[in-house]
Amino acid sequence: MSVYEYKGAVPLGAITTFRLTNLVEEAVKAFQAWRISRATVGSLQRLSDRELSDIGLIRADIARVADQMARR
């Protein structure tokens, strides 16, 4: 991959538009991670203690597992 370095002036508002776009993208990513985390917590909480034990978890592990799933 090559990089082209542009040393000229950028159009008025280009940097602001770029920063706003990045802000929106980060907000969307955070929202998606939150949704995944909540879905994971909900799914695991509906399992019985026996079912959780079958997959090697206890109730105290649910938050940690949900956090890991959201980070993927």
Side-chain angles (χ1 to χ4, degrees), residues 40-51:
T40 303
V41 167
S43 295
L44 291 174
Q45 284 182 341
R46 283 190 292 275
L47 297 177
S48 69
D49 289 337
R50 170 70 189 239
E51 291 168 327

Side-chain angles (χ1 to χ4, degrees), residues 26-46:
E26 291 301 317
V28 168
K29 287 179 187 177
F31 179 70
Q32 289 172 337
W34 175 79
R35 287 186 59 203
I36 290 169
S37 178
R38 295 309 307 153
T40 303
V41 167
S43 295
L44 291 174
Q45 284 182 341
R46 283 190 292 275

Side-chain angles (χ1 to χ4, degrees), residues 7-35:
K7 294 185 179 187
V10 295
L12 184 62
I15 294 173
T16 302
T17 302
F18 176 73
R19 288 181 180 162
L20 182 61
T21 301
N22 282 341
L23 178 68
V24 170
E25 286 176 355
E26 291 301 317
V28 168
K29 287 179 187 177
F31 179 70
Q32 289 172 337
W34 175 79
R35 287 186 59 203

